[in-house]
Amino acid sequence: MEGDRVESRVTIKGIERELICPACKELFTHPLILPCQHNVCHKCVKEILFAFEDSFADGGSESSNQSSPRIKISSSSMERIDRITRTGRKRNSLTPRSSLFPCPACQRDIDLGERGMNGLFRNFTLETIVERYRQAARAAIAIMCDFCKPPPQESTKSCMDCSASYCNECFKIHHPWGTVKAQHEYVGPTTNFRPKILMCPEHEMERVNMYCEICRRPVCHLCKLSGCHANHRVTTMSTAYKTLKEKLSKDIAYLISKESQVKGHITQLGLLLKETECNSERAKEAALHSFEKLSHVLEEKKSAALRAIEVSKNLRLEKLQTQAEEYQGLLENNGLVGYAQEVLKETDPSCFVQTAKQLHVRIQKATESLKSFRPAAETTFEDFVVDIAKQEEALGDLSFHSNGLEIPEIDEGQSRMYNKALISWESPGKTESADIYVLEYRKLHREDESAVWQEIEVCSKSKVISDLDEDSSYAFRVRGYKGSICSPCSREVILRTPPAPVFSFLFDDKCGYNSDHLLLNPRRTSVESRAGFPLLLGSERMQSGCYTTLDYIIGDTGIAKGKHFWAFHVEAYSYLVKVGVVSSNKIQKLFHNTHDRTSPRYDQDSGHDSGSEDAFFDSTQPFTLVTLGMKKFFIPTTPAAPKDPESRILPLPSCLGICLDCDKGKVGFYDAGPMKCLYECEVDCSGIMYPAFALMGGAAVHLQEAITAKYEEYHEDI
């Protein structure tokens, strides 16, 4: 019965939105079905009609519907009233004004006709559902009798022995006077029935009668005999009860005896609360004073800048106005020209010459200025643009600062970006470091330089950050906190994520691996070649043809599609290392052609010089590799490569990366620090592609390890 009630309650709750009147926003009361098939309470329809009748009488005034607290006529409804009043459709002198109104749910015009509300049907089905919902809501609050016939009555008491609730009538029936049940313990209505006998949760039919001192929990005798407490030290329940009760009583007595001390602490804490309030107010006043000083300086600077602009503006306007008046005088019958025209009317030669000489000079100047017109002043105010970049940056770093808290510095040597970002920092000074740090980072966008900084609270001096976008630059900075004191932010460090997802693999110790020449570490993350006895044996052939062998090794995992990136470190002492990719259908050819064909004297009868031999090499190799060695990175000879040999030799980066795009058929070689592409070429990706490495002489390659959360623990231990 209870299960059915819960299920019904859940079902009813799910349709609550369907039981709300669109007019009063409450549960339906005697709902009526409108012609548009929407339901509205009987009282709501009545109030709407009265409100609209008043609105028609007042010419659609919105102030006329204030008498009804349940119904609020919207502006759209008022507009609809005005339209209905103007059109007068379906209206005659016999039709009451209040029979036409918009539906509160769909705003469609509803015409009730001559019968008005009497023509609407009452929705008895909806009314029944609403009543069931009301009962379910009341049952969720009240505790109902467990033995009443439906519908159940609200309970008045609960029996702790029967673990049930009863109304007055049912309690009398099930607990008759003079029987054993009449002696049951009963309380007010409750759903929390505590059993009188504590049973073992592992052996449901057994009472707990012992106490395990190891696990500190009650157990039954079966737990002690064959259960998980067989070898544990246990005691009787009465002994445990007596011991724990004595300890608890003793501890409570101790706390009571220290009541004066507790009150003293409470008083002290009260004083600290007041002191904190006072100190915070002083700090607010000091901060307010500091910002007012800054504001005063800014106001002075602003006033000075505006005054300078105003003075420059007035001076320029004056010059331009004077120039405009001068040119105005060059018009006929105006100014200088008009005066000259009047002088020409003079007939006395001596008087004319006396006046015309000076006038002619002015006319000549006016003519010259007309030929080479130039405004007397500039209209732009480019010299008055205020540069606030540095000040804005300084204000951005404005914070509470203590001389005893050093500014942390991000360690760019320990920080790196790979599959995740590992950011490490240190406090350079000898003063006490911060308790916690806040690491901030943001993605740098060319189009948006105001990206929001994301913050991470860190208790150590390193943090691993996941879920960064590929091929993107991020800025990082950190600040320290000690108590309520905050240090300024560190200098920003910019790191770039790899151009593709990181591809994880190990060196393959089976396919073509030459254990006589190459040495793998146990984890297969490092490979080393040693210039020893095999190289001396190979030197016997130097008189007949100067060629030596390359020892190849590939990754144990291949790539069939997509874009992937991996990084590695080549030891600085390495003599010759080749790195790149090889297709699965060319691996056998790789390991069967291990001679160094890059030597121009591989074949004494080749007839090619070194340059042409390099071109021949690029077009015939069954794999794509670049050459490293002697702390140099050699860009292969291609038509697009620089002609100058020196420009094809770059310093060897501390960490190299390879990006393979199988979908586009391209492979790129990167400086994995700044993620800068050094060289890119096309590659045939028809088969499964494997990372490939070749070593000769003394050389070593170490794969870059993926960054995990363990790095934080490692750096913290250091």
Side-chain angles (χ1 to χ4, degrees):
M1 181 178 67
E2 183 66 24
D4 296 340
R5 188 187 310 163
V6 171
E7 184 178 356
S8 174
R9 190 180 306 163
V10 173
T11 305
I12 290 293
K13 186 176 181 181
I15 63 171
E16 182 177 1
R17 291 180 57 187
E18 302 296 326
L19 310 182
I20 300 297
C21 173
C24 63
K25 308 301 181 184
E26 298 176 1
L27 291 175
F28 284 108
T29 304
H30 305 307
L32 301 177
I33 305 176
L34 300 180
C36 61
Q37 300 304 308
H38 289 112
N39 297 279
V40 182
C41 297
H42 180 277
K43 189 176 181 180
C44 291
V45 174
K46 195 172 183 181
E47 291 181 354
I48 290 173
L49 292 175
F50 279 127
F52 277 23
E53 186 174 357
D54 294 338
S55 299
F56 278 118
D58 297 340
S61 173
E62 293 188 16
S63 61
S64 61
N65 60 13
Q66 301 297 324
S67 60
S68 176
R70 287 168 56 91
I71 306 300
K72 294 184 179 180
I73 304 176
S74 63
S75 58
S76 60
S77 299
M78 296 307 302
E79 293 174 0
R80 192 174 293 272
I81 292 172
D82 295 337
R83 179 170 56 81
I84 293 172
T85 306
R86 291 193 301 269
T87 58
R89 59 185 175 86
K90 290 191 176 182
R91 300 297 298 272
N92 54 50
S93 58
L94 299 177
T95 304
R97 284 180 174 269
S98 58
S99 65
L100 187 63
F101 67 96
C103 170
C106 64
Q107 298 299 315
R108 185 181 301 175
D109 294 335
I110 302 299
D111 189 357
L112 299 182
E114 296 182 358
R115 297 192 61 190
M117 292 178 58
N118 296 329
L120 298 177
F121 285 100
R122 187 171 170 181
N123 194 337
F124 290 100
T125 302
L126 178 58
E127 193 170 340
T128 303
I129 296 173
V130 171
E131 186 59 30
R132 285 208 301 265
Y133 177 85
R134 294 181 190 273
Q135 292 178 359
R138 287 194 295 267
I141 301 174
I143 299 175
M144 310 307 294
C145 177
D146 295 327
F147 295 91
C148 281
K149 294 181 180 180
Q153 301 295 318
E154 188 173 345
S155 64
T156 57
K157 54 178 67 70
S158 296
C159 178
M160 302 303 291
D161 295 274
C162 301
S163 298
S165 298
Y166 301 86
C167 64
N168 287 330
E169 296 298 325
C170 292
F171 186 80
K172 293 177 182 178
I173 296 173
H174 292 276
H175 296 76
W177 184 258
T179 63
V180 177
K181 286 190 174 183
Q183 306 300 320
H184 285 185
E185 178 186 0
Y186 63 90
V187 295
T190 182
T191 57
N192 183 22
F193 298 102
R194 189 183 71 179
K196 291 199 169 188
I197 301 175
L198 191 61
M199 309 301 289
C200 177
E202 296 184 13
H203 309 93
E204 298 179 356
M205 303 303 295
E206 299 294 330
R207 297 174 53 180
V208 294
N209 52 11
M210 289 180 286
Y211 181 80
C212 178
E213 296 181 357
I214 305 298
C215 303
R216 296 183 180 180
R217 57 171 295 177
V219 295
C220 69
H221 70 283
L222 292 180
C223 293
K224 175 59 180 172
L225 291 177
S226 58
C228 58
H229 303 273
N231 298 322
H232 292 182
R233 184 172 65 254
V234 298
T235 184
T236 61
M237 189 62 68
S238 58
T239 303
Y241 168 77
K242 183 179 179 181
T243 302
L244 291 175
K245 192 169 186 179
E246 288 178 355
K247 289 182 178 179
L248 184 59
S249 301
K250 185 177 180 180
D251 292 340
I252 293 174
Y254 175 79
L255 292 176
I256 294 175
S257 66
K258 298 294 181 179
E259 184 175 355
S260 58
Q261 184 178 350
V262 173
K263 290 181 179 179
H265 290 334
I266 293 174
T267 304
Q268 185 179 359
L269 289 172
L271 295 175
L272 292 176
L273 287 171
K274 293 181 180 179
E275 186 178 352
T276 302
E277 289 284 348
C278 294
N279 291 338
S280 67
E281 292 300 323
R282 293 194 192 98
K284 286 181 182 178
E285 292 177 2
L288 181 61
H289 180 65
S290 299
F291 281 103
E292 285 177 350
K293 287 177 65 177
L294 286 175
S295 178
H296 182 66
V297 173
L298 289 175
E299 284 295 332
E300 288 184 348
K301 291 291 185 181
K302 182 179 76 172
S303 300
L306 294 179
R307 281 197 303 270
I309 294 174
E310 187 68 21
V311 170
S312 179
K313 181 196 76 171
N314 294 334
L315 182 60
R316 296 182 189 193
L317 290 177
E318 183 179 353
K319 290 182 178 180
L320 291 173
Q321 183 65 32
T322 302
Q323 188 179 22
E325 291 175 356
E326 291 178 355
Y327 276 94
Q328 187 74 23
L330 300 181
L331 298 175
E332 186 177 3
N333 299 324
N334 272 326
L336 182 62
V337 174
Y339 174 63
Q341 289 174 340
E342 292 297 324
V343 170
L344 288 174
K345 295 177 182 179
E346 179 61 50
T347 58
D348 187 340
S350 58
C351 292
F352 177 79
V353 171
Q354 182 183 9
T355 305
K357 184 177 181 180
Q358 183 182 4
L359 180 61
H360 185 252
V361 173
R362 293 178 61 189
I363 292 292
Q364 282 183 328
K365 289 183 178 180
T367 304
E368 291 175 0
S369 66
L370 188 62
K371 292 179 180 178
S372 58
F373 173 75
R374 178 180 296 176
E378 294 289 338
T379 59
T380 63
F381 283 78
E382 295 178 352
D383 296 337
F384 291 89
V385 177
V386 181
D387 184 10
I388 61 170
K390 293 182 179 179
Q391 290 75 11
E392 189 176 10
E393 183 179 356
L395 288 175
D397 294 334
L398 187 64
S399 62
F400 298 108
H401 177 58
S402 171
N403 292 330
L405 191 59
E406 293 286 344
I407 303 175
E409 292 183 1
I410 295 180
D411 188 347
E412 297 187 55
Q414 295 290 337
S415 303
R416 63 186 180 95
M417 188 83 77
Y418 197 39
N419 60 317
K420 300 177 182 179
L422 171 63
I423 309 299
S424 301
W425 57 89
E426 290 292 339
S427 297
K430 296 181 180 179
T431 57
E432 193 172 358
S433 60
D435 295 330
I436 60 173
Y437 297 90
V438 173
L439 176 63
E440 300 180 353
Y441 67 97
R442 67 175 179 178
K443 184 178 179 180
L444 300 180
H445 301 271
R446 292 182 179 178
E447 64 278 3
D448 182 17
E449 296 182 357
S450 59
V452 178
W453 288 92
Q454 300 186 52
E455 297 185 352
I456 304 176
E457 193 171 293
V458 186
C459 296
S460 59
K461 292 185 180 180
S462 66
K463 181 63 180 177
V464 173
I465 303 176
S466 307
D467 302 326
L468 299 179
D469 294 338
E470 301 165 6
D471 200 16
S472 302
S473 295
Y474 285 84
F476 299 87
R477 67 185 184 187
V478 64
R479 64 178 186 270
Y481 282 88
K482 189 171 183 63
S484 58
I485 304 300
C486 170
S487 74
C489 288
S490 66
R491 178 180 58 86
E492 290 185 18
V493 172
I494 298 176
L495 298 177
R496 188 167 184 82
T497 56
V502 171
F503 176 64
S504 298
F505 65 93
L506 301 174
F507 287 118
D508 195 334
D509 58 352
K510 296 179 176 61
C511 181
Y513 171 61
N514 189 343
S515 58
D516 294 333
H517 294 184
L518 299 178
L519 177 63
L520 274 176
N521 68 338
R523 296 169 56 195
R524 292 193 287 135
T525 57
S526 297
V527 62
E528 181 181 1
S529 68
R530 295 181 177 179
F533 189 69
L535 184 60
L536 294 177
L537 292 177
S539 66
E540 293 181 352
R541 296 187 293 269
M542 288 183 180
Q543 294 179 356
S544 58
C546 182
Y547 65 90
T548 55
T549 59
L550 284 167
D551 296 307
Y552 288 91
I553 189 169
I554 63 173
D556 63 350
T557 307
I559 301 171
K561 60 181 180 178
K563 191 176 181 181
H564 303 271
F565 179 86
W566 61 92
F568 51 90
H569 167 68
V570 177
E571 288 289 352
Y573 63 78
S574 299
Y575 174 69
L576 176 61
V577 176
K578 289 180 178 290
V579 296
V581 293
V582 61
S583 176
S584 57
N585 51 24
K586 297 179 181 179
I587 288 180
Q588 295 299 325
K589 189 175 181 180
L590 174 76
F591 289 108
H592 282 84
N593 293 272
T594 58
H595 298 303
D596 180 17
R597 298 176 184 266
T598 62
S599 172
R601 304 196 181 276
Y602 167 70
D603 185 354
Q604 291 182 341
D605 298 327
S606 64
H608 294 83
D609 58 13
S610 60
S612 61
E613 192 71 25
D614 284 339
F616 178 76
F617 158 73
D618 286 334
S619 63
T620 59
Q621 287 294 323
F623 33 79
T624 302
L625 300 173
V626 297
T627 303
L628 318 170
M630 302 178 68
K631 301 182 181 180
K632 303 295 181 183
F633 178 95
F634 299 90
I635 298 178
T637 303
T638 61
K643 302 300 181 182
D644 183 12
E646 293 185 359
S647 60
R648 295 195 296 112
I649 302 175
L650 305 176
L652 180 65
S654 59
C655 185
L656 276 164
I658 295 179
C659 181
L660 175 64
D661 191 341
C662 291
D663 300 333
K664 294 183 178 180
K666 289 187 176 181
V667 59
F669 298 85
Y670 284 74
D671 182 347
M675 294 297 171
K676 177 183 178 182
C677 184
L678 305 177
Y679 171 68
E680 187 179 53
C681 64
E682 295 182 356
V683 62
D684 181 12
C685 298
S686 57
I688 298 177
M689 307 300 293
Y690 289 87
F693 303 84
L695 298 85
M696 187 180 76
V701 178
H702 310 283
L703 298 180
Q704 182 82 293
E705 294 186 26
I707 298 174
T708 63
K710 293 182 179 179
Y711 275 87
E712 295 180 39
E713 303 173 3
Y714 170 73
H715 284 278
E716 186 64 19
D717 292 341
I718 294 179

